[in-house]
Amino acid sequence: MLTKTKVQEIQDLKLQGYTKADIIRYYEAQGRKPPSRPTISKYYDMDVLPDDPGAKLAKPKTFDAEPFRSTIIRILETNSGKTFCMSSVYDVLEEKFIENGDYEKLPGNQQTLRNYIHYLEDSGQINREPEHRRIYDYVFDTPPGEQMLIDFGEETLSKTTHIHFMCLLLRYSRFLCVYAQDHKYNSEEACKAIYYSTSLP
């Protein structure tokens, strides 16, 4: 099953004059796995794209009915940003609906509930991600020559070409040195870079 974006891509390539075989080569040239030939042929031959290509294959969500849906969303929003086990949500539902006699059983098992919660998150109906705020503390200036900030990095230029670099920032003067090479730094090379950066005029 293709996403709407991929289906649209096939149609766009068709409008650009690509044949079905050309589309497969197009995917391969980009290093991407092409859809199967029957799938490409199916969407290539369509005149009108479906709004949701997977709608016929989508299974109904067992927990996507009231009062379960609103209760699940309320539990998740109340505990937004907190770490808790998904099975705890199931336990709360059992306590709320089974133990008080409203229902004989829940409409699905714990895995079904877990899948439904992922569906709610993926569709943007709930957001359980904690808000990340950077905490800043005042850092006292150190005397010249006492502290240096060091970080390593890598930049990929192509599949076979990588640049490994080492950044050194003198804490007091803010003087920045960057050394680059075609392989990862070992301890000897790192020590030499530190030495060179501190001996510059």
Side-chain angles (χ1 to χ4, degrees):
M1 180 180 70
L2 296 185
T3 63
K4 190 174 181 181
T5 305
K6 290 183 179 178
V7 172
Q8 186 63 56
E9 185 178 25
I10 291 173
Q11 284 284 314
D12 290 344
L13 291 171
K14 172 186 172 182
L15 292 173
Q16 293 173 34
Y18 282 72
T19 65
K20 296 173 186 178
D22 290 338
I23 291 175
I24 292 175
R25 286 192 286 273
Y26 170 82
Y27 274 90
E28 290 171 346
Q30 291 190 331
R32 297 159 58 195
K33 182 181 178 184
S36 66
R37 287 179 185 273
T39 301
I40 290 175
S41 183
K42 172 184 174 182
Y43 293 113
Y44 188 93
D45 295 336
M46 281 187 178
D47 293 327
V48 179
L49 294 180
D51 289 333
D52 185 0
K56 292 181 180 178
L57 301 173
K59 295 179 181 178
K61 309 286 188 293
T62 55
F63 283 97
D64 200 27
E66 294 301 339
F68 303 110
R69 183 180 186 281
S70 57
T71 304
I72 292 167
I73 290 176
R74 190 166 55 253
I75 292 169
L76 296 174
E77 287 177 344
T78 303
N79 294 280
S80 179
K82 298 177 183 176
T83 302
F84 67 93
C85 186
M86 292 274 194
S87 59
S88 300
V89 180
Y90 195 85
D91 294 339
V92 172
L93 294 177
E94 281 189 327
E95 183 180 322
K96 184 173 179 62
F97 297 112
I98 307 301
E99 292 179 11
N100 70 3
D102 287 349
Y103 293 87
E104 289 184 14
K105 63 178 184 176
L106 294 177
N109 57 26
Q110 289 191 23
Q111 184 58 50
T112 307
L113 175 62
R114 187 174 287 109
N115 292 341
Y116 179 62
I117 291 173
H118 289 314
Y119 159 75
L120 291 174
E121 291 172 339
D122 293 342
S123 61
Q125 297 181 55
I126 58 167
N127 180 20
R128 290 186 50 238
E129 289 296 320
E131 184 180 356
H132 296 288
R133 289 190 178 180
R134 197 165 188 174
I135 299 173
Y136 294 92
D137 281 333
Y138 179 75
V139 179
F140 294 97
D141 280 333
T142 56
E146 282 197 5
Q147 194 177 60
M148 174 187 283
L149 307 175
I150 301 174
D151 200 4
F152 295 88
E154 178 184 354
E155 184 68 30
T156 302
L157 301 180
S158 67
K159 288 184 180 179
T160 57
T161 310
H162 304 275
I163 295 178
H164 299 269
F165 56 89
M166 182 177 177
C167 300
L168 306 103
L169 179 69
L170 296 178
R171 178 76 176 81
Y172 184 83
S173 67
R174 313 304 290 175
F175 183 74
L176 175 66
C177 295
V178 179
Y179 296 98
Q181 58 187 34
D182 61 356
H183 59 277
K184 289 184 179 179
Y185 279 84
N186 58 33
S187 55
E188 181 181 352
E189 291 165 337
C191 288
K192 283 182 179 177
I194 293 170
Y195 174 77
Y196 293 146
S197 67
T198 57
S199 60
L200 290 171

